[in-house]
Amino acid sequence: MKFGREYVATLEQEQYPQHWVQSSISYRQLKKCIRKIQSELSQLGLDASAIESLLRFTDTAEVEALPPAGTAAYKITEFKPKLVFLVRKDDGDLVDATLSPRTKETLQKLVDTGSLSGGGTDHEQFHLQPAQEGQGSDHSTSLQVSPCSVNVQDDPNLVRVEVPLRNNEEFFQILQHGLSELSALHSEEKTALGREIGSLGQMVSRVAKPAHGMQRTDLYAWRAVFSLYLESNVFFSTNENETFSRSPPEVQRQLQIFSNRLDSLQKNNKFRRKESSVALQRFLLVNANLLRNLKFQQLNIRAAGKILKSK
């Protein structure tokens, strides 16, 4: 089964709350954007291998000038990605790069349609019509990139060409929105669980108070429950030789082990107060909710990882 189908099926099978599902990564929508981006880039004759060889990625919010060590750059200005090329006016060739005829022809057209100054310093922005959905590239591109030793201000035959990537912008907007929704949901659930754990702690403190006179207490019963829980290493392994967080399937297995051992414990060490039974059910529910949160988190991390590794 493809991951897209598996992702949707898992969201349905786990019966997550509707607002959780609405906050999850829009995997299919992002995959469609990637196909549009591939089609858009194919108009320049740029396939995945060409892009890997050509692009110089930057981690800054905005690039004011083309990096001197490369022939092309990926520019983000307020989430408006562009491809930035250093091109020769006379033949449309990229500086220090070998282009396919199709890519060279496209860049030449971009140069020819611009109104450029003789000094080659005009930062004219060129627009490329987005490709139709389903349109692919029938030419592979082989690029050999070497450090650029020519500055656009020193050579009047050079011009910087900026190609807006509209579908790329859409991709980042959808991804950013999805991650923001997940972050907000995480904060909301963390706060809710914190309140429940605090309330549960107060309840356990009341029923486990040391006995005074004829007052009954479940101090020793709760001490046995928590001792058993710690020994089960449900969410974390605390052994000296292996300290790590558990995966959702491992947590589920450890919770089941704890539950089975708890049943045996309760036969010989029953609570004296009714409130303790209620508190124990709340304690088990907290763990179940933590597991559900962990599953949802890991599912979205996996979805985001697959999206970002797509080519």
Side-chain angles (χ1 to χ4, degrees), residues 35-36 39-40 42-43 129-136:
R35 287 192 287 269
K36 289 180 181 179
S39 181
E40 186 175 24
S42 73
Q43 287 194 319
Q129 293 298 322
Q132 298 297 321
E133 191 168 351
Q135 177 181 345

Side-chain angles (χ1 to χ4, degrees), residues 30-96:
L30 288 169
K31 287 292 287 187
K32 287 180 181 179
C33 277
I34 290 175
R35 287 192 287 269
K36 289 180 181 179
I37 292 169
Q38 291 171 334
S39 181
E40 186 175 24
L41 291 174
S42 73
Q43 287 194 319
L44 285 173
L46 297 173
D47 57 16
S49 60
I51 293 294
E52 288 181 3
S53 301
L54 183 61
L55 289 181
R56 283 286 307 277
F57 289 89
T58 176
D59 57 1
T60 56
E62 181 173 354
V63 181
E64 292 296 339
L66 191 70
T71 59
Y74 185 80
K75 178 178 179 181
I76 299 178
T77 306
E78 296 181 353
F79 256 64
K80 295 186 181 298
K82 305 171 184 178
L83 277 177
V84 183
F85 297 96
L86 198 59
V87 182
R88 292 191 175 90
K89 291 183 184 179
D90 53 3
D91 58 8
D93 206 356
L94 203 65
V95 176
D96 292 330

Side-chain angles (χ1 to χ4, degrees), residues 233 235-247 250:
N233 291 322
F235 288 92
F236 302 93
S237 172
T238 56
N239 296 330
E240 286 187 16
N241 297 330
E242 47 173 14
T243 303
F244 56 85
S245 300
R246 297 194 185 279
S247 65
E250 291 172 336

